[in-house]
């Protein structure tokens, strides 16, 4: 018979193994808090950490004013909306990427897999061409992103053959059509005013982030995030195939539809206010798998936190590296592409 001490040791080891992902997630949350604080302090107008906390807590409790009105305006009107929006977009793109990878069982899947970003680009370019306001540009980008993925799903759903492969092929086809439409809009746009605005939007940026943009995307992001977090454990079943899902009483097709819809909503909301920002939804899930493993119970929250850290860090570089702000889409490509190459070679070395 097994001794009492041996059984207790086995229980302790099992408990430590189960708590390890939570510990890593807690450490990432601490890192996010540090990056958040640094994001408030860094910039053309420097703000000390002590002054920062005084300004933030002054809205909750009474404090003797030791800061200037300019510092308070910078914190609440410029940096706070930008930081919140960066965290929201980074989290959503990372979660959408890992969700698409789980649904399609494709490590190259990303938030633009079904043409969501191409549709958003077309909608934003069309709104700029029509001379609409910034709020309408975001609305057009969101609407056309949803329309694009809707077309992809209808084509993939009613085409004969494997529905998953049909979705991928339909995504490539519809995405190319909307990309061509965006190119045509750039061709006919005014080269002095409209074309630069379209080009800059397509490169992605959080400059000029406003509180109304946060309000605009908060509801669709919540509508997409809550279902994804609620069904994340079922993505583990999809990895084992449709038969495993059926044996556990899970409808695989319905599950894919829910995940695709929720991922599309948060992707459309993100791209509508940030522009074209690539690589986040592709690189961050692979990085998180190295850190936390493949269990979606922990993988999806880890992607959410890590995506926010990454986007905040890139945004800090974007607005502080040079005198003029660098579009975020450029930086994510410069950082994401080499890092993804590193992950590929590291994976190959492990397999060899």
């Amino acid at each position: 018979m097994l001794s009492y001490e041996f059984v207790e040791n086995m229980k302790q080891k099992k408990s430590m193994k189960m708590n390890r992902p939570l510990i890593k997630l807690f450490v990432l949350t601490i890192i996010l808090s540090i990056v958040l604080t640094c994001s408030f302090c860094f910039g053309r107008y420097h703000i000390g950490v002590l002054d920062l906390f005084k300004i933030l807590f002054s809205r909750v409790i009474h404090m003797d004013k030791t800061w200037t009105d300019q510092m308070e305006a910078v914190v609440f009107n410029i940096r706070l909306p930008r930081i919140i929006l960066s965290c929201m977009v980074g989290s959503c793109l990372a979660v959408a990427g890992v969700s698409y990878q789980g649904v399609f069982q494709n490590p190259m899947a990303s938030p633009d897999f079904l043409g969501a970003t191409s549709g958003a680009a077309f909608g934003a370019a069309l709104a700029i061409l029509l001379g609409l306001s910034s709020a309408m540009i975001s609305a057009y980008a969101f609407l056309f992103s949803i329309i694009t993925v809707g077309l992809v799903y209808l084509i993939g759903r009613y085409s004969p053959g494997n529905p998953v492969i049909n979705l991928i092929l339909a995504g490539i086809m519809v995405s190319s059509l909307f990309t061509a439409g965006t190119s045509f809009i750039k061709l006919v746009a005014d080269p002095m005013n409209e074309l630069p605005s379209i080009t800059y939007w397509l490169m992605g940026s959080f400059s000029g982030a406003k509180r109304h943009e946060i309000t605009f995307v908060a509801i669709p992001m919540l509508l997409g995030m809550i279902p994804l977090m609620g069904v994340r454990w079922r993505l583990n079943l999809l990895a084992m195939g449709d038969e495993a899902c059926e044996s556990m009483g899970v409808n695989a097709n319905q599950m894919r539809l829910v995940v695709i819809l929720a991922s599309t909503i948060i992707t459309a909301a993100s791209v509508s206010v940030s522009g074209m920002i690539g690589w986040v939804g592709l690189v961050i899930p692979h990085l998180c798998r190295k850190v936390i493993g493949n269990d979606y119970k922990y993988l999806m929250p880890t992607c959410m936190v890590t995506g926010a850290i990454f986007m905040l860090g890139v945004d800090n570089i974007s607005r502080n590296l040079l005198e003029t702000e660098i579009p975020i889409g450029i930086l994510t490509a410069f950082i994401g592409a080499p890092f993804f190459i590193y992950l590929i070679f590291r994976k190959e070395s492990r397999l060899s």
Side-chain angles (χ1 to χ4, degrees), residues 88-117:
M88 293 168 65
V89 170
S91 297
C92 287
L93 291 179
V95 169
V98 76
S99 300
Y100 278 133
Q101 290 171 12
V103 165
F104 295 105
Q105 293 301 299
N106 189 331
M108 296 303 295
S110 62
D112 57 352
F113 203 57
L114 298 182
T117 54

Side-chain angles (χ1 to χ4, degrees), residues 27-57:
V27 172
L28 287 172
T29 305
I30 294 176
I31 295 173
L32 176 60
S33 303
I34 296 172
V35 177
L36 274 169
T37 305
C38 294
S39 300
F40 275 108
C41 297
F42 293 160
R44 304 284 187 272
Y45 195 98
H46 176 73
I47 297 175
V49 176
L50 184 60
D51 288 330
L52 169 64
F53 284 110
K54 285 182 178 180
I55 293 171
L56 292 175
F57 285 108

Side-chain angles (χ1 to χ4, degrees), residues 8 20 31 41 47 73 142 169 230 260 262 326 341:
E8 287 299 314
R20 197 173 299 163
I31 295 173
C41 297
I47 297 175
F142 179 81
L169 295 176
I260 289 172
I326 305 172
I341 293 173

